[in-house]
């Protein structure tokens, strides 16, 4: 991960590079931002640049001994702390270090679920456990092997056990010479206030729309118009954009089913309502919940569509075309009732209520709501 690999965020890149060039290097940084905005790769690129032996004006060289070791995540002065799933054989981060290195070599933008999936630990709780604190203390007590700076890289410090967090506080207060602590957090409000107060915070906001659209054009081979639309719908988040592209076929199916339930309800087509309920009952509970969540989003978007404000509208082209005629039916008299009915249906599905009954009942309620 280099600065050049990060999509957009140019002002922050320049700020970090110029600070290093001027010798202004705080001993503790806290990079805050959602997983898909670039907080982790920004922190890693900063760590690489700190120890690069042939820095350029814009990035690390990628060729010096330090950069080559950073490429493989094996630099002896680069130490990672990250959430893990503890078992009898694996209790600290170093027990997962090979899996972590493999993961980082193939991921620039990622979130906790992706890391859990890589560990084959989906649906398990990942933490930075108390025992990790002893390993941290040991690492920072050793001499620096070869780099100018020793890097203690902590991903998701909000998941640290309180004991570990308190010992880290001592390290931040009195760090060994040339030891730099880089933390990357998605939920900084959950970090100890004493740690927050001793760290220089850098907020990583959404990726600029033009920068994200350019990446979509070149990497995913989409047209300029489609790239702009996808970038807008992604709210400046790379992972959201990838999910949007990957589920496009699912969304197309959900849109057709949304049209069907609305048309059946408007026409009071009871036979069509029954057939729709049977169709939805056969797609599985997870997809049923996803469909109901999709319906809630589309109701909100159709309500906002009436205001003709492009900057707050997040529908794709097919959804927009449908909304031209459908949006007038969603108004201040029924929008909240629509959301409530859909939300109740989603809850009922989660509670294993008979799906045919849920969707048929929903169709009947929509018949009334569309007339408001």
């Amino acid at each position: 991960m280099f600065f050049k690999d990060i999509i957009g965020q140019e002002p922050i890149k320049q700020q970090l590079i110029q600070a290093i060039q001027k010798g202004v290097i705080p001993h503790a940084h806290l990079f805050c931002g959602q997983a898909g905005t670039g907080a982790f790769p920004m922190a890693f690129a900063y760590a690489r640049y700190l120890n690069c032996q042939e820095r350029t004006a814009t990035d690390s060289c990628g060729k010096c001994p330090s950069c080559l070791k950073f490429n493989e995540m094996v630099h002896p002065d680069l130490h990672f702390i990250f959430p893990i799933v503890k078992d009898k054989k694996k209790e600290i981060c170093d027990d997962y270090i090979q899996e972590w290195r493999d993961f980082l070599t193939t991921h620039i933008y990622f979130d906790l679920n992706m890391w859990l999936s890589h560990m084959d630990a989906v649906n398990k709780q990942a933490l930075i456990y108390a025992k990790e604190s002893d390993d941290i203390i040991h690492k920072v007590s050793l001499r620096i092997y070869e780099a100018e700076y020793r890097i203690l890289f902590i991903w998701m410090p909000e998941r640290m056990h309180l004991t570990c967090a308190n010992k880290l506080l001592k390290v931040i207060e009195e760090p060994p010479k040339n030891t730099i602590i880089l933390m990357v957090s998605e939920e900084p409000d959950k970090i100890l206030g004493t740690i927050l107060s001793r760290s220089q915070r850098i907020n990583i906001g959404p990726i600029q729309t033009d920068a994200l659209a350019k990446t979509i054009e070149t990497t995913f081979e989409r047209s300029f118009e489609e790239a702009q639309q996808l970038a807008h719908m992604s709210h400046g988040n790379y992972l959201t954009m990838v999910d949007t592209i990957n589920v496009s076929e699912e969304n197309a199916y959900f849109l057709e089913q949304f049209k069907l339930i609305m048309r059946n309800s408007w026409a009071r087509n009871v036979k069509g309502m029954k057939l729709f309920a049977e169709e939805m009952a056969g797609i599985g509970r997870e997809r049923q919940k996803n469909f109901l969540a999709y319906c809630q989003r589309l109701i909100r978007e159709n309500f906002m569509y009436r205001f003709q404000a492009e900057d707050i509208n997040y529908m794709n082209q097919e959804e927009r075309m449908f909304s031209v005629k459908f949006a007038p039916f969603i108004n201040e008299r029924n929008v909240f009732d629509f959301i409530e009915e859909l939300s109740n249906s989603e809850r009922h599905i989660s509670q294993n209520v008979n799906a045919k009954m849920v969707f048929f009942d929903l169709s009947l309620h929509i018949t009334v709501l569309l007339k408001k």
Side-chain angles (χ1 to χ4, degrees):
M1 300 175 206
F2 294 81
F3 284 120
K4 65 183 179 181
D5 296 323
I6 302 166
I7 304 169
Q9 311 293 9
E10 295 303 326
I12 298 175
K13 294 179 190 177
Q14 291 304 312
Q15 172 190 337
L16 294 172
I17 289 171
Q18 290 172 10
I20 292 175
Q21 292 172 347
K22 294 176 182 178
V24 181
I25 303 171
H27 65 273
H29 267 306
L30 177 62
F31 293 80
C32 304
Q34 293 301 307
T37 59
F40 188 97
M42 187 73 75
F44 190 90
Y46 176 80
R48 180 195 287 270
Y49 195 74
L50 269 175
N51 281 324
C52 178
Q53 296 164 3
E54 299 179 30
R55 302 170 188 151
T56 70
T58 58
D59 215 332
S60 303
C61 70
K63 300 177 181 178
C64 69
S66 175
C67 282
L68 293 176
K69 291 172 184 176
F70 263 79
N71 289 344
E72 304 298 326
M73 321 291 173
V74 295
H75 197 294
D77 297 309
L78 174 64
H79 306 288
F80 287 108
I81 297 94
F82 46 87
I84 64 169
V85 176
K86 186 170 68 172
D87 59 28
K88 294 180 180 179
K89 296 182 180 180
K90 296 183 176 181
E91 298 182 292
I92 61 174
C93 296
D94 279 355
D95 294 330
Y96 281 93
I97 195 62
Q98 190 54 54
E99 291 98 323
W100 178 249
R101 288 168 177 162
D102 293 341
F103 181 71
L104 291 186
T105 56
T106 54
H107 295 82
I108 295 178
Y109 292 83
F110 57 87
D111 59 19
L112 183 61
N113 286 333
M114 294 168 70
W115 166 232
L116 288 173
S117 178
H118 186 80
M119 288 192 291
D120 293 324
V122 177
N123 298 326
K124 294 184 179 179
Q125 184 174 356
L127 298 171
I128 300 172
Y129 294 93
K131 191 172 182 179
E132 195 69 43
S133 58
D134 295 329
D135 196 52
I136 292 173
I137 299 299
H138 174 69
K139 287 174 178 175
V140 298
S141 68
L142 300 174
R143 67 178 179 83
I144 296 177
Y145 285 90
E146 60 185 60
E148 184 176 358
Y149 297 98
R150 177 192 2 242
I151 307 295
L152 193 63
F153 201 116
I154 305 172
W155 179 50
M156 303 195 79
E158 60 266 34
R159 287 185 169 263
M160 283 194 295
H161 187 279
L162 185 59
T163 299
C164 186
N166 283 325
K167 288 194 176 182
L168 176 64
L169 174 60
K170 295 178 182 178
V171 174
I172 294 177
E173 288 178 333
E174 299 179 15
K177 184 179 179 181
N178 285 8
T179 294
I180 306 298
I181 300 168
L182 303 180
M183 295 176 282
V184 179
S185 172
E186 293 182 26
E187 300 177 287
D189 293 343
K190 294 183 178 180
I191 302 173
L192 281 180
T194 45
I195 291 180
L196 290 174
S197 64
R198 289 162 173 77
S199 307
Q200 181 167 317
R201 181 166 172 168
I202 297 178
N203 292 318
I204 311 293
I207 302 169
Q208 294 78 9
T209 300
D210 289 344
L212 187 56
K214 185 176 180 180
T215 297
I216 296 170
E217 276 190 87
T218 55
T219 304
F220 295 90
E221 299 181 345
R222 301 301 174 106
S223 67
F224 174 81
E225 292 77 13
E226 187 177 5
Q228 289 288 331
Q229 184 180 66
L230 284 167
H232 174 67
M233 292 174 62
S234 302
H235 300 273
N237 188 304
Y238 179 85
L239 295 179
T240 301
M241 177 271 293
V242 172
D243 286 342
T244 300
I245 291 175
N246 289 340
V247 301
S248 58
E249 291 185 5
E250 183 87 323
N251 275 12
Y253 172 75
F254 285 165
L255 177 59
E256 289 306 310
Q257 297 309 308
F258 182 86
K259 292 178 183 178
L260 187 59
I261 189 174
M262 294 302 163
R263 287 168 179 165
N264 286 334
S265 296
W266 175 257
R268 300 188 179 186
N269 181 356
V270 176
K271 182 179 179 180
M273 293 179 194
K274 290 181 178 179
L275 291 174
F276 169 79
E278 291 174 1
E279 164 79 14
M280 298 309 295
I283 67 173
R285 292 200 176 270
E286 287 304 315
R287 289 186 76 197
Q288 290 164 7
K289 290 190 289 184
N290 290 341
F291 169 70
L292 291 165
Y294 173 85
C295 290
Q296 292 173 64
R297 181 184 73 81
L298 210 53
I299 290 294
R300 293 189 192 96
E301 294 298 336
N302 273 268
F303 181 71
M304 301 307 296
Y305 184 82
R306 298 167 68 247
F307 298 100
Q308 297 297 311
E310 291 294 322
D311 59 328
I312 58 173
N313 190 272
Y314 297 93
M315 292 187 289
N316 60 35
Q317 187 61 34
E318 290 75 17
E319 292 167 345
R320 286 169 185 262
M321 291 174 62
F322 171 70
S323 296
V324 171
K325 293 183 178 180
F326 180 71
F329 292 94
I330 306 301
N331 53 64
E332 62 276 2
R333 294 184 299 276
N334 63 11
V335 62
F336 294 108
D337 293 331
F338 258 113
I339 297 299
E340 183 178 5
E341 289 296 338
L342 290 164
S343 179
N344 287 340
S345 297
E346 185 177 0
R347 187 178 71 255
H348 292 154
I349 292 295
S350 299
Q351 295 170 343
N352 291 323
V353 177
N354 184 286
K356 287 184 183 179
M357 293 175 58
V358 170
F359 284 102
F360 184 72
D361 185 65
L362 176 63
S363 296
L364 294 176
H365 281 92
I366 292 175
T367 298
V368 176
L369 294 176
L370 285 173
K371 303 296 182 179
K372 283 190 176 182

